[in-house]
Amino acid sequence: MISAEKIPNNVNLSGNKRLQRALEHWQPKYIQWWRDMGPQGFQDYHQVYVRTAVSVDPEGWAHFEYVKLPEYRWGIFLADPVHDRRIGFGDFYGQPVWQEVPGEFRNQLRRLIVTQGDTEPASVEQQRLLGHRCPSLYDLRNLFQVNVEEGRHLWAMVYLLHSYFGRDGRDEAEELLERQSGNRDKPRILDAFNEPIDNWLDFFMFTMFTDRDGKSQLMSLSESSLDPLSRTTRFMLTEEAHHMFVGETGISRILERTCQLMKEAGYSGDVRKVGGIDLATIQKHLNQWFSLSLDLHGGEVSSNAASYFANGLKGRAKEDSYDEHVAKQSYYNMEFFEQGRTVTKEVLLRNAMNEVLRDWYVGDCAAGVTRWNRILEAHGMSDRLQLPDRKFNRRIGMYAGFHFDPAGVAITKEEWDRRQFDWLPSPKDTEYLLSIMAAPIYEPGKFANYIAPPRRGVNQQPIDFEYVRTEQ
Ligand SMILES: [Fe+2]
Ligand SMILES: [Fe+2]
């Protein structure tokens, strides 16, 4: 039986029979999916020290306890309503926001919600084997925290589908559990969510860059005229911040350790000889996940994006910070690639909304890379990490089908084939990473050789706290 105790919520679940019935049907399938496709080998005997959202106030969502993962209480939360909220952009600017889905935008809204929803279980599937290679119990716990929250984000989208989209919504909710990351017949909708994440360098880069795409998408959806979508995504953003923290600090700790090992090995020595991760390998993984995540923002010139904006479905990140919100007569200077060279042309701003969001995303990533470089600087290193040019390694949009080096210089296919593994992880790099992550580290307070301990533990617990315990 569905209950508020099992499913913490602030959507009056106990008073909503229709939603209860829908969830009673969906929830067992979700649990089965979690058992089959969630963290492999951590379903029965492990107790994980995780945070469970039990309400939306600051104490409520920072509630920590030991739980077995399949018993995690996935809840449904909307951020508090904003009094007299008005549509913030597009053709209906200034009108009251919608509490129900307008018939004419039903398909577009459903598509936006399903696309967002599909990424959430996908990432859990991508990460399901990582526990067996964890660098510490602290990191293992962080992985599971991210996983259960992605599961909750799926719940958030399924809540919208069940509540506002009738039968179609119920079908979509089922299909979200049927597609599978990397599955040839039924893949996840977006490419980056079909790439395997089989080592922890990938995991940290994914949570830094791909979860940050989640942040850009959620920020633009939180501007939506559909108020329940806005409120749902606003609450999801609070959880997303933690995922990016895991990614950013994970890489920071690897950099810290790499610098120590470089000093020990002598600056000119190969840090791999002492079991560390060399900066070149770190840069290649950065290149990989940043470029994949740029693709997630969609084509540069997009009539879909224009229509989402015009109809008030998906706004710009921080729409409030713009002077003008209708964007009908404005233009955007876009860099096209034509006949082997780049040319800047004006595009109607509404058609450039994907690129506007990508600009915001690139800026947010760049700030993170600057923070990483401070670690290299503090250790007296002259090397720096950098974001590749946005034309590099693209598979979606107008640069797809051409080849560019990380500086954005056009190169031939032959040169790309010859040099791609100078810029992207090679099978050898992956093999090396898997070799230093061959065995998990389950001893409290111990860390793998390639990563430094964190500055502090979770929820003011010590670093050597038993973040995951085994109970037979
Ligand atoms: Fe998420
Ligand atoms: Fe996330």
Side-chain angles (χ1 to χ4, degrees):
M1 195 29 209
I2 296 283
S3 70
E5 211 271 312
K6 266 196 186 159
I7 305 178
N9 70 87
N10 67 354
V11 297
N12 186 27
L13 182 57
S14 58
N16 186 339
K17 288 275 171 286
R18 205 166 54 94
L19 180 61
Q20 271 182 39
R21 266 200 305 279
L23 285 178
E24 264 162 29
H25 192 71
W26 185 80
Q27 193 245 20
K29 295 185 184 173
Y30 170 82
I31 297 294
Q32 195 55 47
W33 166 82
W34 176 270
R35 286 195 166 273
D36 295 342
M37 298 308 296
Q40 194 200 61
F42 295 93
Q43 301 277 350
D44 296 308
Y45 307 117
H46 295 84
Q47 301 261 356
V48 187
Y49 186 69
V50 283
R51 176 178 78 179
T52 307
V54 291
S55 73
V56 292
D57 52 74
E59 299 97 70
W61 66 271
H63 172 86
F64 286 83
E65 60 191 350
Y66 277 105
V67 291
K68 286 188 177 175
L69 293 181
E71 288 162 19
Y72 185 78
R73 292 181 296 151
W74 284 280
I76 302 170
F77 293 101
L78 308 185
D80 289 334
V82 173
H83 175 68
D84 193 30
R85 187 173 165 247
R86 301 273 156 165
I87 295 175
F89 61 94
D91 292 344
F92 309 110
Y93 179 72
Q95 297 180 14
V97 291
W98 315 318
Q99 299 305 330
E100 291 293 334
V101 175
E104 63 270 43
F105 305 136
R106 194 180 158 94
N107 286 344
Q108 284 189 324
L109 280 164
R110 193 181 73 196
R111 182 163 158 199
L112 282 170
I113 292 167
V114 167
T115 307
Q116 177 63 40
D118 194 67
T119 65
E120 315 288 358
S123 66
V124 176
E125 294 165 355
Q126 286 169 293
Q127 296 162 13
R128 63 195 287 260
L129 299 176
L130 281 176
H132 300 294
R133 300 180 176 278
C134 68
S136 73
L137 280 188
Y138 166 87
D139 291 288
L140 185 63
R141 176 258 164 226
N142 282 350
L143 167 69
F144 295 153
Q145 181 73 58
V146 171
N147 291 161
V148 292
E149 285 174 354
E150 300 305 8
R152 207 201 65 74
H153 292 175
L154 170 62
W155 275 77
M157 294 298 108
V158 163
Y159 159 73
L160 294 175
L161 289 169
H162 277 149
S163 301
Y164 298 97
F165 294 88
R167 213 206 147 83
D168 297 349
R170 286 202 298 281
D171 291 347
E172 295 282 11
E174 308 257 305
E175 281 170 38
L176 284 167
L177 297 175
E178 283 161 16
R179 286 184 289 271
Q180 256 175 34
S181 177
N183 186 303
R184 232 188 297 157
D185 303 323
K186 276 195 163 186
R188 290 293 174 184
I189 296 170
L190 301 168
D191 268 356
F193 293 91
N194 286 303
E195 297 284 324
I197 301 177
D198 55 8
N199 69 71
W200 281 74
L201 186 53
D202 277 333
F203 172 67
F204 292 134
M205 288 298 182
F206 180 94
T207 39
M208 174 72 175
F209 292 110
T210 308
D211 281 87
R212 193 174 306 273
D213 157 70
K215 178 180 169 186
S216 4
Q217 303 303 334
L218 293 174
M219 286 184 76
S220 64
L221 292 173
S222 70
E223 302 288 341
S224 183
S225 312
L226 180 61
D227 204 41
L229 175 59
S230 163
R231 292 173 59 197
T232 308
T233 47
R234 251 188 294 142
F235 184 66
M236 288 162 77
L237 278 165
T238 57
E239 292 165 321
E240 212 56 61
H242 173 70
H243 307 176
M244 285 174 288
F245 164 85
V246 169
E248 182 172 333
T249 57
I251 299 294
S252 296
R253 290 160 51 214
I254 289 177
L255 288 170
E256 191 75 43
R257 184 61 182 151
T258 296
C259 289
Q260 287 169 8
L261 288 169
M262 278 168 87
K263 284 182 190 164
E264 285 167 27
Y267 285 108
S268 56
D270 179 0
V271 78
R272 286 193 183 187
K273 287 198 180 118
V274 285
I277 305 179
D278 49 295
L279 292 176
T281 300
I282 296 172
Q283 178 69 55
K284 288 186 204 181
H285 285 74
L286 183 164
N287 292 349
Q288 160 102 341
W289 288 104
F290 175 69
S291 54
L292 279 167
S293 306
L294 287 178
D295 276 345
L296 291 173
H297 291 74
E300 287 76 10
V301 181
S302 164
S303 52
N304 272 340
S307 155
Y308 292 154
F309 188 87
N311 297 339
L313 312 183
K314 188 179 174 190
R316 291 171 285 194
K318 301 202 167 132
E319 186 61 48
D320 271 359
S321 65
Y322 292 87
D323 296 332
E324 202 274 322
H325 304 285
V326 180
K328 222 170 178 176
Q329 312 297 341
S330 325
Y331 291 86
Y332 179 94
N333 285 328
M334 194 174 286
E335 205 177 85
F336 286 75
F337 186 70
E338 288 175 354
Q339 274 128 27
R341 55 192 194 92
T342 48
V343 238
T344 303
K345 289 190 197 170
E346 279 190 339
V347 172
L348 272 174
L349 181 56
R350 283 186 174 187
N351 285 308
M353 284 304 172
N354 284 343
E355 198 60 9
V356 171
L357 191 58
R358 194 161 14 236
D359 287 339
W360 182 87
Y361 172 78
V362 171
D364 209 42
C365 291
V369 173
T370 302
R371 291 190 291 272
W372 284 343
N373 281 332
R374 280 194 206 120
I375 298 169
L376 297 175
E377 203 181 330
H379 280 270
M381 301 287 168
S382 56
D383 308 76
R384 295 290 178 267
L385 296 172
Q386 46 189 332
L387 294 177
D389 185 88
R390 70 174 81 186
K391 295 190 285 302
F392 172 78
N393 194 38
R394 293 290 298 283
R395 295 183 211 165
I396 285 177
M398 60 186 166
Y399 309 122
F402 301 106
H403 299 290
F404 298 91
D405 71 8
V409 177
I411 54 171
T412 61
K413 177 167 189 312
E414 290 67 40
E415 194 173 0
W416 173 264
D417 288 344
R418 204 174 60 237
R419 300 202 60 193
Q420 62 165 314
F421 292 132
D422 292 349
W423 304 319
L424 292 170
S426 69
K428 275 216 160 114
D429 294 328
T430 306
E431 197 184 309
Y432 173 71
L433 290 175
L434 293 177
S435 79
I436 58 170
M437 301 173 190
I441 298 194
Y442 294 144
E443 197 180 316
K446 269 218 149 184
F447 288 82
N449 179 50
Y450 62 85
I451 191 167
R455 293 250 167 79
R456 47 191 95 73
V458 177
N459 191 31
Q460 291 166 0
Q461 299 291 358
I463 287 167
D464 62 2
F465 185 71
E466 198 174 8
Y467 288 104
V468 180
R469 11 179 238 229
T470 313
E471 269 174 21
Q472 292 290 342

